[in-house]
Amino acid sequence: MPQPHRPQPRPPADAAPGPTDAPLPVRRPPAPWTASSSRTSAGCWPDRWPPRRSLVNQASGHLATGRDPGPMGNRHPSIAPYETLACRDGQLLAVAVGNDRQFRELARALGAPELAEDLRFARNEDRVQNRTDLIKALEGRLASDTPHGWTERLTAASAPCGPVNTVSEALELTARLGLDPVTSVGEGRVPQVTSPLRLSGTPVAQPFAPPRLDEHGTALRTWLSGPSDDPLPPRM
């Protein structure tokens, strides 16, 4: 009798470099802003293709070098260290050191300021070129503490980082930051994820639960059988 397939556990992995910042919130708003900023009243349709934007880092590297990139896991192709690093017991810490100043702060917080003076690691391009040696040096020092312990110490030193969270941990963290990630939609109903939009002048409408089977059936049938200019029943 065939045994059910049980996928082997694997370490957490990012979907792609910049899966959310590149295709969506950072670059998406300029499209409608640009489309609406024309001095004529004609306007235009903004057209965005998120899959193209999700390749922004790798495609730029290919255009600059003519080489096709290979699998990189959680690593950023042109910034280092910008990836997940192993701490005590192999637990992962996500590090996002984007410039030389931040790397100096990271090295100092790790108790190894000499790393920032090492010619292999002094500049970002050097760190990318010598990434294997860099990661070995960093993980050797990170092994002395847990991701949560390092997060407190490195964040205080202005070195961006954070533990790799589960979904429940991510929601708990968001709640601790006061961002209200979950919205109640009624007793006995599954809570909903809060809209990420925060608009002071026109607040986002309070969401409500997906309707149960035929919950709005009578109201909808009444509306469909009435005059064509009747407004749709509320909360539909």
Side-chain angles (χ1 to χ4, degrees):
M1 184 175 182
Q3 296 297 312
H5 173 67
R6 298 183 184 276
Q8 296 299 312
R10 295 189 296 178
D14 191 359
T20 53
D21 63 336
L24 297 176
V26 174
R27 294 175 176 86
R28 196 174 192 179
W33 292 341
T34 304
S36 63
S37 65
S38 170
R39 295 188 179 185
T40 71
S41 60
C44 61
W45 287 103
D47 182 19
R48 300 304 307 274
W49 186 49
R52 177 174 56 206
R53 294 304 312 175
S54 66
L55 287 174
V56 56
N57 296 321
Q58 298 287 19
S60 296
H62 165 71
L63 293 173
T65 66
R67 296 193 297 268
D68 282 320
M72 298 196 68
N74 292 325
R75 295 177 172 180
H76 192 289
S78 56
I79 306 175
Y82 203 106
E83 54 209 275
T84 50
L85 303 175
C87 298
R88 180 187 295 170
D89 300 326
Q91 300 175 77
L92 294 179
L93 176 74
V95 176
V97 173
N99 57 52
D100 297 340
R101 179 190 61 78
Q102 290 178 342
F103 182 72
R104 288 192 294 271
E105 298 296 340
L106 171 68
R108 196 162 19 244
L110 291 175
E114 68 277 6
L115 290 178
E117 305 301 324
D118 191 316
L119 293 181
R120 297 173 298 167
F121 313 137
R123 302 176 304 167
N124 178 66
E125 51 263 48
D126 301 321
R127 294 192 293 275
V128 172
Q129 187 70 27
N130 298 287
R131 193 191 297 261
T132 300
D133 292 340
L134 171 67
I135 300 312
K136 183 178 179 180
L138 294 177
E139 290 187 335
R141 289 160 176 83
L142 290 170
S144 64
D145 203 351
T146 65
H148 287 87
W150 281 119
T151 296
E152 291 185 10
R153 294 157 66 179
L154 298 182
T155 300
S158 300
C161 68
V164 177
N165 292 315
T166 63
V167 172
S168 60
E169 291 169 338
L171 291 175
E172 291 169 4
L173 172 61
T174 310
R176 289 199 302 272
L177 295 175
L179 299 178
D180 300 325
V182 177
T183 297
S184 174
V185 290
E187 185 177 355
R189 297 298 188 99
V190 177
Q192 302 293 302
V193 177
T194 303
S195 170
L197 299 177
R198 298 290 189 273
L199 307 175
S200 58
T202 54
V204 176
Q206 178 73 11
F208 50 93
R212 296 187 174 98
L213 180 62
D214 204 41
E215 180 177 345
H216 302 141
T218 300
L220 275 173
R221 286 186 288 273
T222 301
W223 174 71
L224 289 170
S225 62
S228 60
D229 57 350
D230 274 2
L232 188 68
R235 296 180 70 84
M236 287 272 170

